[in-house]
Amino acid sequence: MKNSFYITTPIYYPSNKMTLGNCYTTILCDSIARFNRMMGKDVFYLTGTDEHGQKIEKIAREKNVSEMDYLNEIVSDTRALWDKLDISYDKFIRTTDNYHVETVQKIFKKLFEKGDIYKSTYKGLYCTPCESFWTEEQLVDGKCPDCGRPVEPMEEEAYFFRLSKYQDKIEKLLTETDFLRPQSRVNEMINNFIKPGLKDLCVSRTSVKWGIPVDFDPKHTVYVWIDALPNYISALGYLQKDDKLFKKFWPCDVHVVGKEIVRFHSIIWPAILMALELPLPKLIYGHGWLLFDGGKLSKSKANSGSVIDPRILSDRYGIDAIRLFLIKEVVFGQDGPYTQELFLNSYNTNLSNEYGNLVSRTIGMIGKYLGGVLNKPTQLTDTDKDFMQEIMNKRSSVFKMMDEINPTGAINLIFEMFSRANKFIDENAPWVLAKNGETDRINTILNILSEAIIITNTLLLPFLTVKPKLVYASWNLDIPNNFEKYNEFGFIKNNTEVVKGENLYQRLDINKEIEELNKIAN
Ligand code: MSP
């Protein structure tokens, strides 16, 4: 079995600081990457920024700085945010990196020489002040969507990629294989793009200066997708001297992308790869959107001083809270709303009640009834065995879910495991047993309860990166870095001293917090 795993986020537009929406893709990918690492796989997790294009040129001009100065600032802010959120990426690619620029030029030339890129004329509606081409559909009231001024029909020389040639192959790929998930996105692609017929794609511009020059015809710059999509292979060294990573990690296991860019990843990208005669990625996963007031949050709106700044949220409530909300409450593959109430409620219900309380309650009882010392169980009852079996069955299901790239399903199961453990306490009521002096039985219950907590906690490590790590110290256990540890009952030794750790998650007063958050926003 292949022991490597390659996962990517899209490369983000640095048109402004990253939003909680961009954190969504990055955090989801991070949890999948971490999970696979703990399974013992050799993981490569790629993220980065998509830095060319007219918009960047325009922003830099408005700010009166060079494009590179502007980009460097956003990129360092992005990297700082990913560090703050514990994103364990292996490489951060910038499309302005030399190796990427050179690889794109080589790819462009290769496709041109092969006849899959050809020169023709691009016809569009042009806004002279904005120096931008628009399609009929992009216009707002027949005018330029950026400045509102009239547009006029115009033509320019441009290179085209022969996408139409790959129509049948792409249709087969989408309908006969498991290339794109979830299924709803496949239907969308077939109805909106495959059925109407794929058209050749304009892949160069003479009007955009901030781009990768076509080296054999330098008045052209490479336009958008032939620049952006190949980041997934240029980052690994494709067509470069050192292509060890490419040999090891390509084809990609999964490109995780938001639903609005599924078309580029499931139609244009495989066509480019087919033209390059390269193997295709195994899976494109099109996730939904985190919705704010019913819509996708734009970078400009998010940066206008709103309280959903991920930096503020993580300072106030911790990284675990953000990661939990995005992974658990927004069903992977579907859209889901963000509100302060939903966020804070998720914290209280899951982190504080279900999980944090379970840990502190268990340690508390070990202190109170067993003098803080835990031993191996003496005799297991049928209900103990059933409980242990249930935990182990759910543990297996978590692996199955992650194999299907379903982090929401996996984390829900993990919280069901905690909830089952809470129920086990109530079913066995150690406080009643204590009245009858049944210390032996209490030890058995608290032993398997402790082990159930640790087994479950280990599954949680890829998802929540901060507090779950602290739990092991209470039982004098090592923090595991793979799932081979704590993978079945029986690891707690005789005479284990169990000590109280710090309170994992303080319960929040939701009304007070909402008031505070609103104050920060104003
Ligand atoms: N640069 C292109 C991608 C090129 S990939 C070869 C791009 N960049 S983006 O910055 O606009 O978006 C990047 C990712 O952020 C997308 O996957 C997008 O779906 C995601 N998100 C931005 N806002 C989002 C939400 N509100 N919710 C979930 N994800 C969203 O597209």
Side-chain angles (χ1 to χ4, degrees):
M1 215 178 94
K2 181 172 162 264
N3 202 36
S4 66
F5 185 83
Y6 180 30
I7 180 167
T8 67
T9 70
I11 42 174
Y12 299 99
Y13 285 131
S15 53
N16 213 323
K17 289 186 178 176
M18 297 302 139
T19 69
L20 193 59
N22 304 124
C23 297
Y24 180 78
T25 320
T26 318
I27 285 176
L28 265 298
C29 286
D30 185 66
S31 65
I32 300 167
R34 283 172 183 270
F35 197 93
N36 279 277
R37 275 190 207 110
M38 286 192 64
M39 283 179 71
K41 291 195 191 169
D42 198 348
V43 171
F44 197 81
Y45 173 18
L46 177 72
T47 189
T49 37
D50 187 358
E51 305 192 357
H52 291 122
Q54 203 148 28
K55 197 160 179 184
I56 300 299
E57 209 175 294
K58 200 169 155 199
I59 296 171
R61 202 182 312 135
E62 278 164 12
K63 292 186 184 282
N64 208 12
V65 293
S66 72
E67 282 90 354
M68 228 28 197
D69 282 349
Y70 166 74
L71 289 166
N72 286 343
E73 198 186 311
I74 298 281
V75 167
S76 75
D77 187 84
T78 305
R79 296 182 81 135
L81 180 61
W82 295 164
D83 288 346
K84 198 178 180 71
L85 295 174
D86 263 350
I87 306 301
S88 61
Y89 60 85
D90 295 287
K91 182 163 181 152
F92 191 104
I93 183 169
R94 302 180 58 173
T95 53
T96 50
D97 288 337
N98 281 339
Y99 70 85
H100 177 76
V101 170
E102 282 164 22
T103 307
V104 166
Q105 287 176 327
K106 284 184 197 160
I107 289 174
F108 202 95
K109 198 166 184 179
K110 204 169 167 159
L111 297 180
F112 179 71
E113 280 165 0
K114 213 189 147 197
D116 273 341
I117 282 181
Y118 62 93
K119 205 181 210 178
S120 179
T121 317
Y122 178 76
K123 298 190 184 82
L125 297 158
Y126 194 69
C127 172
T128 311
C130 292
E131 296 174 14
S132 295
F133 274 103
W134 303 105
T135 61
E136 198 76 55
E137 301 82 60
Q138 287 173 316
L139 301 182
V140 178
D141 299 330
K143 306 252 168 67
C144 168
D146 264 9
C147 72
R149 279 179 276 214
V151 290
E152 48 191 315
M154 189 113 116
E155 294 186 356
E156 79 172 21
E157 178 189 284
Y159 287 91
F160 284 79
F161 172 62
R162 226 177 272 286
L163 184 62
S164 57
K165 176 176 155 189
Y166 296 93
Q167 163 94 24
D168 292 347
K169 282 190 177 163
I170 300 289
E171 181 165 2
K172 275 207 179 95
L173 178 70
L174 292 175
T175 52
E176 292 173 15
T177 71
D178 190 24
F179 181 69
L180 171 62
R181 271 192 245 157
Q183 181 60 35
S184 55
R185 311 259 180 254
V186 177
N187 304 338
E188 236 174 85
M189 291 304 116
I190 298 295
N191 292 332
N192 299 346
F193 304 107
I194 302 288
K195 279 199 183 141
L198 295 178
K199 293 180 194 59
D200 289 354
L201 201 69
C202 180
V203 291
S204 83
R205 283 286 193 273
T206 51
S207 50
V208 180
K209 295 284 161 290
W210 186 246
I212 299 180
V214 174
D215 55 355
F216 56 87
D217 193 355
K219 67 175 186 294
H220 289 265
T221 54
V222 179
Y223 183 63
V224 188
W225 297 102
I226 300 249
D227 173 352
L229 290 162
N231 89 86
Y232 301 129
I233 50 178
S234 74
L236 300 180
Y238 174 64
L239 296 184
Q240 295 154 52
K241 234 195 245 144
D242 180 0
D243 63 356
K244 271 197 300 297
L245 289 173
F246 182 72
K247 289 203 175 101
K248 177 165 182 187
F249 288 105
W250 193 259
C252 181
D253 289 84
V254 57
H255 292 307
V256 178
V257 302
K259 62 179 180 180
E260 80 284 16
I261 51 174
V262 162
R263 176 187 159 208
F264 305 107
H265 286 82
S266 68
I267 295 177
I268 300 173
W269 182 224
I272 295 173
L273 290 166
M274 285 171 189
L276 292 169
E277 293 168 40
L278 288 177
L280 305 184
K282 288 183 208 145
L283 178 67
I284 310 293
Y285 198 102
H287 68 65
W289 288 340
L290 183 64
L291 300 177
F292 304 86
D293 298 328
K296 177 168 168 272
L297 183 74
S298 70
K299 286 200 184 75
S300 54
K301 205 158 105 195
N303 281 284
S304 60
S306 83
V307 286
I308 37 197
D309 186 336
R311 298 152 193 88
I312 295 177
L313 285 186
S314 71
D315 283 343
R316 274 188 86 81
Y317 307 108
I319 305 168
D320 290 347
I322 298 191
R323 294 179 62 112
L324 174 88
F325 181 84
L326 297 181
I327 300 165
K328 188 171 187 304
E329 311 299 342
V330 185
V331 176
F332 197 52
Q334 296 174 26
D335 292 347
Y338 175 89
T339 67
Q340 314 290 21
E341 281 95 330
L342 287 173
F343 174 75
L344 297 166
N345 269 322
S346 162
Y347 179 106
N348 270 355
T349 312
N350 300 299
L351 296 182
S352 179
N353 294 0
E354 203 73 80
Y355 172 43
N357 260 353
L358 170 66
V359 174
S360 60
R361 218 174 144 199
T362 304
I363 297 171
M365 288 188 292
I366 297 169
K368 190 164 171 192
Y369 304 129
L370 303 173
V373 179
L374 208 49
N375 284 297
K376 295 235 168 239
T378 42
Q379 202 180 5
L380 296 174
T381 64
D382 284 347
T383 54
D384 294 344
K385 286 181 196 157
D386 287 348
F387 166 67
M388 291 156 79
Q389 193 56 54
E390 252 184 85
I391 293 292
M392 291 312 287
N393 290 348
K394 286 204 159 65
R395 182 180 186 275
S396 307
S397 305
V398 168
F399 284 93
K400 217 169 122 242
M401 291 275 177
M402 288 308 281
D403 192 48
E404 293 164 9
I405 317 269
N406 182 353
T408 306
I411 205 167
N412 278 333
L413 274 167
I414 292 170
F415 277 85
E416 276 175 32
M417 290 163 82
F418 287 137
S419 148
R420 182 65 192 90
N422 272 313
K423 205 168 125 219
F424 182 72
I425 302 178
D426 297 337
E427 284 165 359
N428 286 284
W431 45 92
V432 175
L433 300 171
K435 281 191 195 134
N436 307 328
E438 294 183 59
T439 314
D440 220 36
R441 177 70 193 138
I442 296 179
N443 177 69
T444 296
I445 291 163
L446 295 181
N447 176 298
I448 56 179
L449 178 64
S450 297
E451 294 198 342
I453 290 174
I454 296 293
I455 289 171
T456 312
N457 197 76
T458 303
L459 298 174
L460 192 58
L461 294 175
F463 302 99
L464 310 187
T465 54
V466 183
K467 298 291 173 86
K469 267 199 219 133
L470 307 181
V471 169
Y472 298 90
S474 289
W475 277 270
N476 197 20
L477 296 168
D478 296 336
I479 303 170
N481 54 18
N482 61 59
F483 290 129
E484 285 191 2
K485 269 200 136 171
Y486 316 128
N487 61 358
E488 56 187 358
F489 285 83
F491 50 85
I492 289 180
K493 299 196 179 88
N494 275 331
N495 275 317
T496 296
E497 266 184 60
V498 180
V499 292
K500 199 171 168 318
E502 71 169 274
N503 194 347
L504 293 180
Y505 306 100
Q506 296 287 355
R507 215 186 141 70
L508 302 169
D509 177 337
I510 295 197
N511 290 334
K512 203 179 118 231
E513 289 305 321
I514 291 180
E515 233 172 75
E516 288 295 315
L517 286 173
N518 287 340
K519 261 192 241 159
I520 298 170
N522 294 327

